[in-house]
Amino acid sequence: MDSQPVERPPYGWALATFAIILAIYMVTLSPTTAMWDASEYISSAYVLGVPHPPGNPLFTLMAHAWGLLPLASEYARRINIFAAVTSAASAGLWFLVAERWLRSLLPERAPRLMAAFAGILASATAWTVWNQSTVSEKVYTVSMLSIALVAWFAIRWADEPAGHRRDRWLIAALYILALSSTNHTMGLLGAPVLVVYVALTDWRVVFRPTFIAMAIGVVILGVTPNYLYLPIRAGQHPAINEGEASGFFSPALMATLNRTQYLKPPLLPRQPYAAGDLPQNAQHLAAQIGMYLHYWTWQWGKDLGGWSGLATALFTALGLGGLWTLLKRDRRAGLAALALVGTLTVLLIFYLNFKFGYYYHQGDASITNDMREVRDRDYFFIASFAFAGVLIAAGFAALLLAVTRALRERSPRFALMAATPLLLLALIPLYGNRVSAPRNHETLTRDYAIDVLQSVEPYGILITAGDNDTFPLWYAQEVLGVRRDVTLANLSLMGTDWHVRQLERRVTPAFDLATAAPIWRQLMSADTAIGGGSPDAIRWQQPHTPALTETIAQLDAIPQWNSFAPGTAIQAGDLTIRFAHDDAVTRSDVVAALLIHDNVGKRPVYFSSSTADYPDVTLGLAGHLVTQGLVRKVVADSVHPGRNVVGSEYLGAVDTARTSALLFHTYHVATITRPRPGGWYDPPSSDMLEMYLRLYATYVPVLQQFGDSGQATRANDIALKVRQAIIGK
C-alpha cells in the first residue's frame, strides 16, 4: 500500500486536549499517597529503590527525576502529578490517532476534530482511567503513554513517503516498545498496531539489513534499565529493595524480572480451580471475560445508579459502531484497531488468568473468598478503556454522518451543525464518575500510616500483615521522615529471604523528638534523661544491634515449611511461644518468633491490629498482649489488670493511658470521620477505616467502666462518623 501525502497532524489541538484533560486530573488530584501499591512506588522513586517484581526501573528513574521538580510541597503529590501528566499525554496522542483515522469518515476538519476530542474526553474520564490518573497507584499511566506513542509512530511511518528517512518512526517505535517493557510488560501491548501497519504498508522493510541492525541495537538499548539499574542499585541496598536483585544476570535478578515471587498461574487450567478439561476451561474463560465486561460497566457512569446501565450501553454501541465503521472505511486503521482491541481484552484476559473479581457475583455463595482476587483488577485493563476513546470517536463520527444524512433534506446547509450537539454525550462519564473517581480530598492512607507509627514506643519493632498496612508506613518513614526509629517487619514478606536479610542488616536511626507524637516526646523527656534508670529508659536506648541476632546464613537456612515435635516452644525470658500447628509452621512464623525471642524485654515489640488474632493463635501469645491504640504490644510477663491496664471483652488487655492519648490527642480524627458521600471508594481496602471503627466503638465500654462518660460519648460519636464514612449516604 503506497503512502499518499496527508494533512499535517493537528498538534495544537492535541496539546489543547492534553491541557483540558490534565486540568480535570489536577482539580481532582490526590494530595498525598493512597492504598495498595501507591506508597511503595512513590517511596521507591524517592529513595531510588526497587519496588516489587518486575522492579519497574524505568518508572523509578522517571518518577525520581520528576519528583525533583518543585511542583508541590508534598512529594507524593508531585508523583501524582506525574501520573496525571503521563495519562493526559497519552490522551493527547490518542486524539492524534483518532483524528487521523477519522479522516476517511469525516472529511470536514472542524467536526472531525470535535468528534475526536469527544471520544478521547469520554475515555479519559472513564472510571479506571480517571481513578488511576489522579494518584500514582500503579505504573500503568506510563504504559498507556508508551502504547499510544507506538500507535502514533506507526501511523506517522505509514504516512510518510517511502524511503529510509521514514524508517526512523519504526526505529523509534521499537525503542519505545523495548524501553517501556522496563516500566511494565503492559507496554508491549502496543506491538499489534505496529505489526498491522508494517504488514499492510510495506512489509519488505523487515528484510532490509540496515533496518534490522538498527532495530536490534535500539531494542538492546531499550532493555538496559532491567540489566543495569536493577542489579547495580539492588547491590547498594536502598531502603526499599524488593527481591534484592543484585548481581548481573543473577538468579535473583531473573526471579525479579520473571515475577517468580507471585507464582503466576499457567495458562491452563483456567482459574479458579478448573479441572483441566476443555469444557470447564472454556467455562472459566467465559467467566473471566464476564469479569472484564463487569469492569467495563464501571467505566461510563459508576455514580449514576440505575442510569449506569444506559451509559454503558451508549458507549458500548458507540465503540462497536466506531470499530465497524473503521473496518469498512479504512481497512488498515480498522484492522489495527481490531488488533489492539483483541490484545487489550481477550488475549490479556487469557494471559492473566485471574480468579474471580472481588465484586463479581458478590452474592453467589458458591464463590468462596479463596476463589476471588484480593481486590478488583480493573486497572490491568486500563489501556483498553483508554483506547476505547478512539473507537468512541469513530462512533461519534458515524453518528454525526447518520444524523446529518437524515437532516440534510430539511436543512442541507446546517445539517452537520445541527448534529454536533450530540457530541455533548461525551460529558456523561465526567458527570457519571464525578463522586468516586476523584481523590482530591483523601488523605487517609498517609494519616493512617502516621497514626500507626506514632502508636509504637521509641525504637519499637512493628510486625504488620500485608501491603496496605506496610507500604504506607514505608512512605511515612522514608519520604516524610516520620518515626524512622521503628523497624517494620511484614508477615507476608518474611517468607522471602531478602526481607529477612534486610531486617538483619537494618541500622536503626535515632529517635527524632521533633517528629514524634506528644505522648513520646513527654515520656522521652522525663524518662530517658541521663541517669533515669527506669525500665522504659533502658528499652528506649538507641539499639546498635540488629533486630535479628541470627546470622544471615542461619536465617537463609530456615525452610519455607517447618515441622516441629508436638509441644515445641521457644522461650523468650518468661514468655513462651507455642506454635498452633507444630506440623505446618511457615518461615514467617519462625521469623516472627525470633523477633520476639531476640527483643522482648530489651526492645518494644508490637503487632499491628491488622494481624488480627495471628499473635494470639498462631504464636500462642494470648495473655501477653496489651492494646495501645492501633497496635498491640508483646510483654514478657502475663498481663494482669493494674494501674493503667484493664481488661476488655473485645480489645483484650488495654493500656488506657496510652490508648486515650492516642485516640483523642494523636490520631487524625478529622480524616477518618470526613464525610464520604459515596462511601469508601475501594471496599477491599476499607479495613483501615474499619480498624478505627472497631477501636473507637469497643473503647466506649472501657471508658464507661471508668465513669468517663464525656470521652465515651466522644468515642461513640467518632465511631458512628467513621461507619458513615465507610458506607456513605
Side-chain angles (χ1 to χ4, degrees):
M1 181 181 294
D2 294 329
S3 299
Q4 300 294 329
V6 294
E7 182 182 333
R8 185 178 182 276
Y11 288 118
W13 288 96
L15 183 61
T17 300
F18 161 78
I20 291 170
I21 291 171
L22 179 61
I24 294 171
Y25 293 160
M26 290 298 294
V27 169
T28 58
L29 193 78
S30 170
T32 184
T33 189
M35 294 295 182
W36 303 109
D37 296 340
S39 297
E40 179 201 14
Y41 281 125
I42 293 169
S43 303
S44 295
Y46 184 80
V47 302
L48 270 181
V50 180
H52 67 265
N56 316 102
L58 180 63
F59 172 86
T60 303
L61 291 166
M62 291 177 68
H64 180 79
W66 182 274
L68 298 175
L69 301 175
L71 300 175
S73 57
E74 185 167 338
Y75 187 81
R77 185 175 176 85
R78 290 181 232 164
I79 306 304
N80 293 341
I81 294 173
F82 177 68
V85 168
T86 50
S87 183
S90 70
L93 286 164
W94 286 129
F95 170 85
L96 291 173
V97 172
E99 190 276 338
R100 176 63 185 87
W101 285 357
L102 264 57
R103 291 179 187 180
S104 62
L105 280 66
L106 280 176
E108 295 187 48
R109 189 168 188 264
R112 184 174 70 239
L113 291 170
M114 288 190 290
F117 174 76
I120 300 308
L121 176 64
S123 65
T125 52
W127 192 83
T128 298
V129 180
W130 189 356
N131 177 283
Q132 290 285 316
S133 302
T134 57
V135 61
S136 188
E137 200 259 306
K138 290 285 184 183
V139 298
Y140 298 148
T141 58
V142 174
S143 293
M144 284 200 303
L145 177 59
S146 67
I147 293 171
L149 268 173
V150 169
W152 180 238
F153 287 169
I155 291 170
R156 292 297 296 145
W157 171 77
D159 281 347
E160 287 208 359
H164 290 294
R165 176 176 167 76
R166 78 172 183 178
D167 290 347
R168 70 189 190 280
W169 293 105
L170 279 188
I171 295 298
L174 288 171
Y175 175 69
I176 292 297
L177 280 172
L179 183 64
S180 181
S181 71
T182 70
N183 170 69
H184 193 276
T185 49
M186 178 184 283
L188 296 174
L189 299 180
V193 177
L194 198 62
V195 171
V196 170
Y197 264 83
V198 168
L200 298 183
T201 305
D202 181 12
W203 56 268
R204 295 176 183 84
V205 69
V206 299
F207 295 106
R208 294 175 192 155
T210 303
F211 174 80
I212 292 173
M214 291 185 67
I216 294 173
V218 297
V219 168
I220 293 174
L221 181 63
V223 300
T224 51
N226 277 347
Y227 299 97
L228 287 180
Y229 173 83
L230 286 180
I232 291 174
R233 187 58 179 143
Q236 295 171 338
H237 303 304
I240 296 174
N241 190 13
E242 296 213 41
E244 209 163 282
S246 57
F248 296 105
F249 299 97
S250 64
L253 175 60
M254 295 301 106
T256 295
L257 295 176
N258 294 326
R259 300 176 177 84
T260 303
Q261 177 178 326
Y262 298 111
L263 300 175
K264 183 192 176 299
L267 299 181
L268 292 174
R270 306 304 298 171
Q271 291 202 93
Y273 305 126
D277 61 294
L278 184 59
Q280 204 163 10
N281 277 303
Q283 177 186 1
H284 285 278
L285 178 59
Q288 290 168 334
I289 293 174
M291 284 187 279
Y292 172 83
L293 296 176
H294 174 69
Y295 296 144
W296 174 262
T297 66
W298 289 6
Q299 303 307 312
W300 314 110
K302 200 164 189 273
D303 304 327
L304 292 179
W307 294 96
S308 177
L310 185 60
T312 298
L314 170 65
F315 287 99
T316 302
L318 285 170
L320 292 177
L323 178 59
W324 176 249
T325 305
L326 282 174
L327 286 167
K328 289 195 302 180
R329 296 293 190 91
D330 185 338
R331 177 170 169 262
R332 183 172 58 186
L335 288 176
L338 183 63
L340 257 186
V341 169
T343 302
L344 297 176
T345 56
V346 178
L347 287 181
L348 188 57
I349 292 167
F350 186 79
Y351 171 76
L352 293 172
N353 194 11
F354 282 141
K355 297 179 182 180
F356 292 116
Y358 185 83
Y359 266 127
Y360 187 70
H361 288 184
Q362 189 69 38
D364 189 343
S366 67
I367 302 178
T368 59
N369 284 338
D370 60 348
M371 296 168 67
R372 296 184 183 277
E373 298 289 328
V374 295
R375 62 180 294 200
D376 281 299
R377 304 296 189 183
D378 56 298
Y379 52 85
F380 273 95
F381 305 102
I382 187 173
S384 72
F385 305 140
F387 174 67
V390 177
L391 304 182
I392 291 169
F396 273 128
L399 182 62
L400 290 181
L401 287 175
V403 175
T404 300
R405 292 192 193 101
L407 296 176
R408 188 164 288 156
E409 292 182 2
R410 297 183 181 180
S411 178
R413 185 175 179 182
F414 300 105
L416 187 57
M417 186 181 299
T420 52
L422 290 170
L423 298 178
L424 292 175
L425 293 170
L427 296 174
I428 290 176
L430 178 63
Y431 178 78
N433 296 320
R434 73 194 185 285
V435 176
S436 57
R439 293 286 175 269
N440 48 304
H441 298 299
E442 196 55 74
T443 62
L444 175 67
T445 304
R446 177 196 64 196
D447 296 343
Y448 163 80
I450 295 172
D451 288 351
V452 171
L453 287 171
Q454 297 290 22
S455 304
V456 178
E457 293 176 12
Y459 302 115
I461 296 168
L462 177 61
I463 299 174
T464 59
D467 294 355
N468 277 335
D469 67 340
T470 304
F471 293 164
L473 308 189
W474 288 358
Y475 172 77
Q477 286 190 324
E478 301 303 329
V479 181
L480 301 180
V482 175
R483 295 299 307 276
R484 297 189 69 245
D485 60 288
V486 176
T487 297
L488 301 175
N490 181 293
L491 283 172
S492 298
L493 299 179
M494 285 195 294
T496 67
D497 52 7
W498 56 266
H499 183 60
V500 178
R501 291 174 190 167
Q502 289 167 17
L503 288 173
E504 197 278 340
R505 280 198 300 259
R506 186 176 193 264
V507 176
T508 306
F511 176 80
D512 183 4
L513 278 172
T515 62
I519 179 177
W520 306 124
R521 290 204 301 269
Q522 294 163 6
L523 289 172
M524 283 289 281
S525 299
D527 231 8
T528 63
I530 295 177
S534 73
D536 281 341
I538 296 171
R539 284 193 292 269
W540 291 355
Q541 296 297 319
Q542 182 177 5
H544 298 289
T545 55
L548 289 166
T549 58
E550 292 72 22
T551 66
I552 286 182
Q554 290 172 324
L555 295 171
D556 284 349
I558 301 172
Q560 285 295 329
W561 290 96
N562 301 267
S563 181
F564 296 114
T568 298
I570 296 178
Q571 203 70 29
D574 295 330
L575 174 64
T576 302
I577 302 171
R578 296 186 186 276
F579 297 112
H581 305 286
D582 296 318
D583 58 342
V585 180
T586 68
R587 192 173 201 268
S588 296
D589 299 336
V590 173
V591 176
L594 290 175
L595 282 169
I596 296 168
H597 171 270
D598 296 348
N599 294 282
V600 164
K602 306 170 188 173
R603 188 172 177 181
V605 179
Y606 287 84
F607 283 88
S608 169
S609 294
S610 57
T611 60
D613 62 0
Y614 172 85
D616 310 71
V617 176
T618 304
L619 301 182
L621 296 178
H624 291 271
L625 297 162
V626 178
T627 296
Q628 290 180 196
L630 290 167
V631 298
R632 303 169 74 197
K633 182 181 179 182
V634 181
V635 294
D637 299 326
S638 296
V639 179
H640 300 287
R643 197 170 109 236
N644 291 321
V645 177
V646 300
S648 165
E649 180 181 358
Y650 303 102
L651 295 172
V654 184
D655 185 323
T656 56
R658 290 185 179 175
T659 298
S660 291
L662 292 168
L663 267 63
F664 302 118
H665 303 291
T666 302
Y667 290 170
H668 291 78
V669 174
T671 297
I672 63 177
T673 58
R674 183 179 73 80
R676 296 172 174 86
W680 180 247
Y681 69 92
D682 177 44
S685 65
S686 65
D687 290 356
M688 307 303 129
L689 270 177
E690 289 169 358
M691 279 193 289
Y692 284 106
L693 171 60
R694 289 192 295 269
L695 176 59
Y696 280 93
T698 55
Y699 197 53
V700 171
V702 175
L703 292 167
Q704 291 172 334
Q705 178 182 341
F706 281 90
D708 194 342
S709 58
Q711 290 288 54
T713 299
R714 185 182 176 194
N716 187 62
D717 181 61
I718 292 171
L720 290 174
K721 289 180 178 178
V722 174
R723 181 178 182 276
Q724 195 63 40
I726 295 172
I727 64 175
K729 291 182 179 178

